[in-house]
Amino acid sequence: MQRHKRRIATALSAVTTSLLLSLSLASTPAHAASHDPIIFVHGLSGSASGWDDWVADFEADGYSSSELFAWSYDWTQSNVTTASQLATEVKSVLAQTGASKVDIVGHSMGTLSSRYFLKNLSGTSYVDHFVSVAGVNHGTTIASLCGWLYTSCKEMQTGSSFLTALNSGDETPGSVSYAAYWSDCDEAINPDTSAELSGATNVDVGCISHTNMNNDHGVYEQVHDFIS
């Protein structure tokens, strides 16, 4: 009789354990797919807050806040200095997230320090996708208005020694996936096609102002699709 009771107890225990395990698995949400963390690099006179709309959009589309890094820096300094600081930021993000690579999205002048990092500071080893949004990739005549005041602005002038060196040889080095989104009525980039990159996926998004390029939802959707 005692042996029979022990068998029943053992059977009940096994059933209970199996049931509890099933309930536990059913109540545990599926782990969200991870993404490459994104570092957003603003341009002249900008700040990290300029990316608030796109950060919110990425979160709405499944990214976590811990995967999105809107980065601020001193935009008056040389883009070479900023590129060195970006290299430090990239390594910090990789250490924080445990990711092997990041995606970089730059706006306006922010594309120049990012591209310098990629080309000259071994950045291609750490970056999966690079996105230029209204990037001053080949300079703009408008930069003459502030070139006398800020080193960074002088470097944006068409034909500057900085841009000549940056654009020599391969404009899209390494195995990074490159895209450049540009507007055909950009008041800050003259000519508009200066924002294109040889070797990149170049996309004319239509007539959108320079300052709205990095918070326009239609442009966001194209950027999201490119890096996802």
Side-chain angles (χ1 to χ4, degrees), residues 50-69:
W51 297 103
D52 285 354
D53 288 347
W54 280 17
V55 167
D57 287 337
F58 272 106
E59 289 182 340
D61 282 333
Y63 279 71
S64 69
S65 59
S66 61
E67 295 171 322
L68 303 169
F69 298 82

Side-chain angles (χ1 to χ4, degrees), residues 43-147:
L44 191 79
S45 299
S47 68
S49 64
W51 297 103
D52 285 354
D53 288 347
W54 280 17
V55 167
D57 287 337
F58 272 106
E59 289 182 340
D61 282 333
Y63 279 71
S64 69
S65 59
S66 61
E67 295 171 322
L68 303 169
F69 298 82
W71 180 61
S72 285
Y73 62 92
D74 178 2
W75 53 264
T76 67
Q77 66 193 3
S78 169
N79 288 289
V80 176
T81 303
T82 301
S84 179
Q85 295 171 347
L86 176 59
T88 301
E89 175 69 8
V90 167
K91 291 174 183 177
S92 174
V93 168
L94 292 176
Q96 290 178 57
T97 61
S100 58
K101 290 190 176 183
V102 301
D103 294 330
I104 293 179
V105 179
H107 175 242
S108 191
M109 189 184 73
T111 64
L112 300 186
S113 56
S114 301
R115 289 182 56 212
Y116 189 97
F117 162 64
L118 287 166
K119 182 172 184 175
N120 299 305
L121 302 178
S122 302
T124 55
S125 299
Y126 306 101
V127 177
D128 193 12
H129 295 83
F130 170 71
V131 176
S132 167
V133 180
V136 195
N137 292 311
H138 296 93
T140 175
T141 58
I142 307 300
S144 61
L145 298 175
C146 59

